[in-house]
Amino acid sequence: SQQGEEDPQALSIQEGENATMNCSYKTSINNLQWYRQNSGRGLVHLILIRSNEREKHSGRLRVTLDTSKKSSSLLITASRAADTASYFCATVDNYGQNFVFGPGTRLSVLP
Amino acid sequence: GAGVSQSPRYKVAKRGQDVALRCDPISGHVSLFWYQQALGQGPEFLTYFQNEAQLDKSGLPSDRFFAERPEGSVSTLKIQRTQQEDSAVYLCASSSTGFNEKLFFGSGTQLSVL
């Protein structure tokens, strides 16, 4: 079963706009990670945020974590056509024994 | 190696055939994971190794699925008597330690059972 649930399922924006994707989960976590997957390829790690962190930045990526609401968001600023991909959140529980991916958000950035 | 390598890239099997999927993780990575990904879905956990020990196989869908990592490096996922519902992409990932660190994924093996 999948713990993380991304929202929206699909998102289409114009180049230069910002893209925001959300992830909700059910149980306590040790950390939450975001991954990107281009069509026909494996997943690539983007960013990891630990349960005691509230916000993290990496280049054009900004991730927030609200453990009280059991939710996270991924913001991609100034999007590019090359950002077109599926984005997945993955949660790791406090025992480090369960690494669960959500169904993903399919992002299309139109030139 | 430079990254996680999976072979074959594509596999077509007739229903009832046995298949073996190979994963060569990043050199020195202790942990190795197998995931199954259906079209348009997120990866579903199958099994996890720490070195040669299979610590969790709770995600394997049936006893037709078997995974091994005998020397703590290369891993093989074997599916016996394949069924059409086994058609999916099988992803392998490795990490230097375990669940609390990021995973490095291979490109996957796309299995089609006819």
Side-chain angles (χ1 to χ4, degrees):
Chain A
S1 64
Q2 295 183 321
Q3 159 157 247
E5 292 285 337
E6 289 91 343
D7 165 53
Q9 290 187 339
L11 179 62
S12 185
I13 59 174
Q14 295 292 134
E15 225 173 7
E17 293 181 338
N18 296 341
T20 300
M21 289 159 268
N22 303 296
C23 170
S24 59
Y25 57 93
K26 298 173 185 172
T27 64
S28 297
I29 61 170
N30 176 284
N31 67 74
L32 185 145
Q33 304 182 25
W34 285 91
Y35 287 79
R36 162 198 170 122
Q37 185 179 36
N38 287 81
S39 180
R41 307 296 296 176
L43 283 73
V44 175
H45 180 267
L46 295 176
I47 197 163
L48 181 155
I49 186 165
R50 301 195 185 276
S51 60
N52 60 352
E53 298 175 309
R54 291 297 167 257
E55 187 171 313
K56 245 183 150 174
H57 297 254
S58 177
R60 293 185 295 113
L61 305 180
R62 173 178 169 250
V63 168
T64 62
L65 179 64
D66 187 335
T67 52
S68 67
K69 295 181 179 177
K70 292 187 167 56
S71 68
S72 173
S73 68
L74 170 67
L75 168 67
I76 304 174
T77 60
S79 63
R80 306 165 182 169
D83 294 330
T84 295
S86 291
Y87 291 82
F88 297 91
C89 70
T91 55
V92 182
D93 69 18
N94 280 326
Y95 303 100
Q97 295 177 6
N98 204 1
F99 202 124
V100 182
F101 286 86
T105 292
R106 286 171 292 287
L107 174 66
S108 297
V109 181
L110 306 175
Chain B
V4 178
S5 178
Q6 291 187 247
S7 61
R9 185 75 177 88
Y10 302 94
K11 177 68 179 178
V12 178
K14 291 184 179 178
R15 190 172 54 183
Q17 277 185 334
D18 297 349
V19 298
L21 312 180
R22 177 189 166 104
C23 173
D24 200 339
I26 292 173
S27 178
H29 275 194
V30 167
S31 299
L32 185 145
F33 305 78
W34 283 98
Y35 287 86
Q36 180 190 60
Q37 187 176 26
L39 187 64
Q41 299 297 314
E44 292 274 359
F45 171 79
L46 294 177
T47 187
Y48 160 60
F49 289 87
Q50 188 154 348
N51 296 306
E52 69 279 2
Q54 189 174 21
L55 298 186
D56 187 348
K57 55 181 181 179
S58 61
L60 296 176
S62 75
D63 58 7
R64 296 186 296 104
F65 287 71
F66 172 77
E68 60 182 4
R69 193 186 186 198
E71 297 177 359
S73 178
V74 172
S75 177
T76 303
L77 175 67
K78 298 179 180 178
I79 309 173
Q80 297 177 323
R81 305 180 302 282
T82 53
Q83 304 294 316
Q84 283 188 318
E85 61 263 28
D86 299 335
S87 296
V89 175
Y90 290 85
L91 295 167
C92 175
S94 69
S95 77
S96 57
T97 53
F99 285 101
N100 293 332
E101 301 301 325
K102 65 182 181 181
L103 298 183
F104 294 83
F105 279 84
S107 294
T109 293
Q110 184 171 328
L111 174 64
S112 298
V113 182
L114 307 178

